[in-house]
Amino acid sequence: MMKTLSAAIVLSLGLGVAAPVLAGSGHGHGAMPMAEQKAQMSDGEIKKLDAAGGRVTIKHGPLHSLGMGAMTMTFHAEGAMLKDRKPGDKVRFMAEDRDGKLTVTTMETAQ
């Protein structure tokens, strides 16, 4: 009986410590703390955009969120995110692979 009780206590304590870690291990960036999300953002320059078609070409540094190096590539993006942007704009952004489409999920003007 004592061994069973001791094992239950140890297991409960272990789960109590692991639960917050497991809860925060989701891959969606919506659950990522804002400071961590900002650190994951990449610097880039808009080279071409098609707001109506939801596409933007960005010359960028390393994409930390995707594990990719610096290059120029076209991403999908919501038209609203591209509103009032133009080629030559310096931006900070985050992109994700959404069902095989590289998609800008966050974009802000670079400071």
Side-chain angles (χ1 to χ4, degrees), residues 44-111:
E45 178 183 346
I46 295 176
K47 292 301 198 178
K48 182 178 169 184
L49 63 91
D50 173 10
R55 293 196 175 114
V56 60
T57 301
I58 303 174
K59 178 180 179 181
H60 60 80
L63 294 178
H64 308 291
S65 60
L66 293 170
M68 300 175 84
M71 65 183 86
T72 301
M73 58 193 301
T74 300
F75 298 90
H76 293 271
E78 292 181 16
M81 189 181 302
L82 302 177
K83 186 178 184 241
D84 300 325
R85 302 225 185 253
K86 62 188 179 313
D89 284 355
K90 305 282 192 222
V91 295
R92 290 188 42 80
F93 71 102
M94 181 174 281
E96 295 178 0
D97 183 340
R98 291 193 174 166
D99 299 321
K101 294 180 180 179
L102 296 180
T103 304
V104 175
T105 57
T106 306
M107 183 184 290
E108 62 185 37
T109 302
Q111 302 295 328

Side-chain angles (χ1 to χ4, degrees), residues 3-31:
K3 285 184 179 181
T4 304
L5 183 58
S6 295
I9 291 171
V10 169
L11 182 59
S12 295
L13 290 174
L15 288 175
V17 171
V21 173
L22 293 173
S25 66
H27 294 288
H29 293 293

